[in-house]
Amino acid sequence: MTAIALGVPAIRRDPARMPTTFERPDVAGLVDRFGRVARDLRVSVTEKCSLRCTYCMPEAGLPPIARSNLLTPPEIARLVAIAVRDLGVRDLRFTGGEPLMRADLAEIIALSSAVAQGASISMTTNGIGLDHRIRQLVDAGLTRINISLDTVDRDHFSRLTRRDRLPSVFAGIRAAQDAGLAPLKINAVLMRDTLAGAADLLEWALANGCRLRFIEQMPLDADEAWARDNMVDAAELLTVLGDRFALTQPHREDPSAPAEEWLVDGGPATVGIIASVTRSFCESCDRTRVTAEGTVRSCLFGDDETDLRALLRDGADDATIAEWWRAAMWGKQAGHGINAADFIRPLRSMGAIGG
Ligand code: SAM
Ligand code: SF4
């Protein structure tokens, strides 16, 4: 199979095309036309990955981004500084592709941590090779970590990710726990293929002190195999888990939080479900994203990007970069629209955006 294109959309870089900010209130934060405020920044650091999860990457991987087009550690840290100091960002998460594929990840974290002004610094990773790097990353300032794991069956893992690397993921999980990053959050994408092993995965998570969250699969797979009428939803998962565990819903502290938590067998252990498709939380979305090439993406599903890398490299000052970032977020769309008859998939797949 040949690699598909990254799907990079038309990118705003001409000052004459700055998104219109007509009626935008004169406030520092990343507000949008629907009253949302973005305080959670996701920074993708690479398109490369050690796995090829079928719900994310094409078999051949994404076409490589030229090294000169990737943001450098000082460029990432400069954007982080602007985000926390001038734009009200409180949470920072590194993602990809697989962030551990960047040899300079510790430098990215250390430089970002130095300007983060107390914002949390976390990472979403598949965990492969994490055991060799965790100490360095924690010393650099990493405070939290989410590890993606969809099955604890080695053959199934190999088919799903197209790589036989489950033992390495387990080693990464243990290393993160030993480094004090517990309780560890585990993310699993819900697919027809993974439903049968969902109860085993939960049993494993409970036995290993991990907090498991299932995520409904979104139409962001590079292979474009996702189909609305065949996707597994939260209701179907609850039926399957309910055959082995007693699930009860506690009082929700924060009704706008994406994950719905269920007590397992009376608690205190819980399992989370992020029903991104069937119970969209777009109306309370607080995310802003920067791709590995340095474009701001206001929504996973919005192909409208603004090029901050060009501004950085053209010598723009912080105030100008902040103004472009605000304008980009002001134009954020209302929601993903997956359930609408006229829904069109975004050009970029999940691995090319940064989940
Ligand atoms: N490689 C890292 C990892 O797998 O954790 C970070 C990048 S990955 C794109 C970030 C998250 O997106 C992972 O938890 C992954 O399971 C999730 N993801 C990927 N494709 C998805 C899809 N089509 N629908 C829902 N979640 C998806
Ligand atoms: Fe790689 Fe993460 Fe995508 Fe899997 S979900 S292919 S680990 S980027």
Side-chain angles (χ1 to χ4, degrees):
M1 188 190 282
T2 52
I4 63 150
L6 263 178
V8 179
I11 295 170
R12 273 199 195 95
R13 45 168 63 94
D14 173 1
R17 289 190 62 230
M18 185 189 255
T20 173
T21 50
F22 180 63
E23 289 186 339
R24 185 188 181 281
D26 186 18
V27 293
L30 295 172
V31 296
D32 68 33
R33 291 166 298 150
F34 304 95
R36 297 167 297 191
V37 186
R39 296 194 178 89
D40 180 342
L41 169 60
R42 309 257 154 144
V43 180
S44 174
V45 294
T46 181
E47 84 298 351
K48 292 193 180 7
C49 190
S50 42
L51 298 180
R52 296 285 184 274
C53 305
T54 51
Y55 50 75
C56 177
M57 288 261 172
E59 189 167 5
L62 293 166
I65 299 174
R67 197 186 166 88
S68 59
N69 287 337
L70 282 177
L71 290 183
T72 64
E75 286 173 337
I76 292 172
R78 178 145 173 237
L79 293 182
V80 168
I82 294 169
V84 297
R85 189 192 58 225
D86 303 330
L87 300 172
V89 163
R90 298 308 309 143
D91 295 298
L92 171 65
R93 175 172 294 275
F94 293 108
T95 180
E98 173 46 50
L100 292 169
M101 297 298 280
R102 272 207 60 168
D104 55 4
L105 182 61
E107 186 187 355
I108 291 173
I109 293 173
L111 294 181
S112 299
S113 171
V115 293
Q117 301 189 359
S120 70
I121 301 187
S122 56
M123 169 170 87
T124 301
T125 173
N126 63 27
I128 292 174
L130 183 61
D131 48 337
H132 303 295
R133 313 265 300 272
I134 188 71
R135 192 41 35 225
Q136 189 193 26
L137 300 180
V138 169
D139 288 349
L142 187 71
T143 50
R144 286 199 312 239
I145 199 164
N146 286 9
I147 298 186
S148 304
L149 176 64
D150 307 297
T151 174
V152 286
D153 178 275
R154 188 163 173 175
D155 287 339
H156 188 204
F157 183 94
S158 300
R159 273 181 278 122
L160 193 68
T161 65
R162 300 165 170 135
R163 299 287 186 273
D164 181 20
R165 305 297 304 275
L166 184 60
S168 181
V169 179
F170 284 151
I173 290 172
R174 273 194 304 276
Q177 289 173 321
D178 291 347
L181 300 180
L184 207 66
K185 281 191 184 157
I186 300 285
N187 294 343
V189 176
L190 199 47
M191 297 175 78
R192 196 129 310 278
D193 194 29
T194 48
L195 194 59
D200 287 346
L201 181 60
L202 177 53
E203 202 158 290
W204 176 89
L206 298 173
N208 288 277
C210 297
R211 293 179 61 183
L212 177 63
R213 293 147 6 130
F214 288 95
I215 305 169
E216 283 181 350
Q217 190 196 353
M218 293 181 280
L220 292 169
D221 54 319
D223 291 340
E224 303 197 5
W226 182 95
R228 179 70 182 83
D229 55 8
N230 188 35
M231 66 160 278
V232 179
D233 61 18
E236 208 171 335
L237 173 69
L238 285 170
T239 306
V240 167
L241 294 182
D243 285 343
R244 197 180 305 180
F245 305 96
L247 301 178
T248 46
Q249 238 183 334
H251 169 71
R252 293 189 77 185
E253 302 283 324
D254 175 7
S256 69
E260 253 182 293
E261 297 286 338
W262 299 79
L263 290 173
V264 182
D265 293 338
T270 58
V271 60
I273 304 181
I274 303 180
S276 341
V277 176
T278 59
R279 198 185 62 81
S280 130
F281 39 87
C282 299
E283 69 283 352
S284 54
C285 177
D286 64 350
R287 291 182 190 160
T288 180
R289 291 186 153 79
V290 173
T291 65
E293 306 104 305
T295 60
V296 170
R297 203 169 161 101
S298 59
C299 171
L300 273 175
F301 291 85
D303 272 331
D304 201 14
E305 297 184 4
T306 296
D307 190 358
L308 299 187
R309 188 191 67 208
L311 293 168
L312 285 167
R313 295 185 184 175
D314 286 351
D317 61 15
D318 288 0
T320 304
I321 293 171
E323 204 47 35
W324 274 82
W325 203 328
R326 289 188 192 102
M329 294 307 294
W330 179 246
K332 178 169 172 147
Q333 63 194 51
H336 57 47
I338 296 173
N339 299 307
D342 59 352
F343 170 72
I344 299 173
R345 298 171 53 108
L347 289 168
R348 283 189 193 256
S349 60
M350 189 64 124
I353 301 170

